[in-house]
Amino acid sequence: MVTATAPGKAILFGEHAVVYGEPAVAVAINARVSVTLEQCDGDWQIDGYPLDSGRHPHLISLKNALLGGNSQSYSVFVESELFPAAGLGSSAALSSAGCAAMLSLSGMPIDSEQIATLSHLAEADAQSGRASPIDTSTSTLGGCVLVSNKKEELAEWRYTRNLKTPEGERTWEVHSVSLPKSASEVWLVVGNTGIHAPTSEMVAGVAELLASNPSKKEDIARMGEVARLGVDALSKGNYPQVGALMNEAHRLLSSVGVSCSELDDMVEVARRTSFGAKLTGAGGGGCMLALTQNPAETAAALEMRGCRVLVTPLGASGVAIENQ
Ligand code: PMV
């Protein structure tokens, strides 16, 4: 039997802009997905049910890549501390933890670049061939991760990820951002609107807007600049500046149509007790986040609005084998 866990993620800067080659920055959060594999007789199972490709495409893809020739079957048990389908990377964390558990069973080294690669390919398989590596890389590496279409000087380059998508070959450079010691004195408060808005629809909406109103491309370019400025401010521990840039990022995301009144309201409330706040991920619903030194106050203000809240330090540890 083996158990592996991996963290979810929250995007600090660059969502949507990353689709157009701009940099995006995410941090691993203190809410994890745990995957346990235990030998069983008969066919593979998940939480007592048969593993099927329609419902568990990530695990099927990883199983085929890593244990395809293995006649032994396993029961998979999954536990998650993440809000599901809310833009916190639960499927990436499942893939990353599942991959680590399968590598461990095969007696292969727990190599983070290999886990990031295989879990990215599993995400892409499950999403019609389209997935940026930000979720799977953040879940695997932990800490703070910067993804860009070129090598960035602001962060430590880790590896290149290539993917054949329906639109052609795409390449991303994946970096780790070192957080200063003072990062342990600030928290992210993540608030969930409870509204489900599929990422693919939000991405398609931005594409339509840019086609009909090309001046909005300036907003996308500025999101990229804000992401680079954000990494610089974060590395220096300049949290008021990070917060101000988060506020600007929210304004830019609203300008390309991916906010909603619930997100705007929660961001406004959270700003009263934080350095700054913005929506995180695809938008249209899902989650917002605030950077704060007063996590209890910020969380209470959001809970008063009736939303579910998660408080996390910045940059949880990456994928790990918990027991064997
Ligand atoms: O839904 P999330 O949190 O995984 O965010 C998606 C981020 C986007 O930039 C909107 C899409 C993408 O593929 O990067």
Side-chain angles (χ1 to χ4, degrees), residues 35-201:
V35 176
T36 298
L37 296 181
E38 203 177 309
Q39 288 193 354
C40 71
D41 298 327
D43 292 333
W44 277 66
Q45 298 203 331
I46 180 162
D47 295 326
Y49 294 93
L51 193 63
D52 88 76
S53 55
R55 295 180 56 213
H56 315 108
H58 304 82
L59 292 171
I60 298 268
S61 161
L62 291 164
K63 166 182 167 298
N64 293 342
L66 287 167
L67 301 174
N70 192 336
S71 56
Q72 174 64 54
S73 294
Y74 291 90
S75 286
V76 186
F77 300 95
V78 177
E79 282 172 36
S80 176
E81 297 168 341
L82 289 161
F83 305 132
L88 298 183
S90 56
S91 65
L94 171 73
S95 301
S96 183
C99 184
M102 290 184 202
L103 281 173
S104 164
L105 286 175
S106 329
M108 291 195 244
I110 308 301
D111 174 69
S112 50
E113 187 176 336
Q114 190 185 10
I115 295 173
T117 300
L118 290 172
S119 48
H120 179 214
L121 296 177
E123 280 256 280
D125 266 0
Q127 294 171 199
S128 321
R130 297 180 189 90
S132 95
I134 192 151
D135 286 21
T136 41
S137 287
T138 308
S139 202
T140 302
L141 299 175
C144 181
V145 167
L146 167 72
V147 168
S148 179
N149 67 350
K150 59 177 201 238
K151 289 186 181 164
E152 302 277 346
E153 281 171 17
L154 286 159
E156 182 201 348
W157 177 80
R158 300 290 294 264
Y159 49 80
T160 304
R161 282 289 324 114
N162 293 305
L163 183 70
K164 282 201 179 80
T165 75
E167 289 74 37
E169 178 100 12
R170 290 207 50 193
T171 299
W172 294 269
E173 304 297 345
V174 180
H175 312 70
S176 284
V177 177
S178 354
L179 297 173
K181 274 212 176 82
S182 60
S184 61
E185 290 154 30
V186 291
W187 285 265
L188 288 175
V189 175
V190 179
N192 186 358
T193 60
I195 301 167
H196 178 58
T199 299
S200 57
E201 284 176 22

Side-chain angles (χ1 to χ4, degrees), residues 13 226 230 233-234 238-250 271 274-278 289-292:
F13 297 107
V226 165
L234 196 57
N238 185 346
Y239 304 112
Q241 176 68 3
V242 177
L245 290 163
M246 287 168 68
N247 291 343
E248 181 174 355
H250 185 77
R271 280 182 187 155
S274 66
F275 292 114
K278 64 182 276 290
L289 52 79
L291 179 72
T292 180

Side-chain angles (χ1 to χ4, degrees), residues 9 11 14-19 87-89 131-132 134-135 199 203 280-282:
K9 68 91 190 35
I11 299 181
E15 53 273 269
H16 287 287
V18 69
V19 174
L88 298 183
S132 95
I134 192 151
D135 286 21
T199 299
V203 170
T280 183

Side-chain angles (χ1 to χ4, degrees), residues 296-307:
E297 253 183 283
T298 308
L302 288 168
E303 277 164 348
M304 287 282 283
R305 285 287 205 275
C307 58

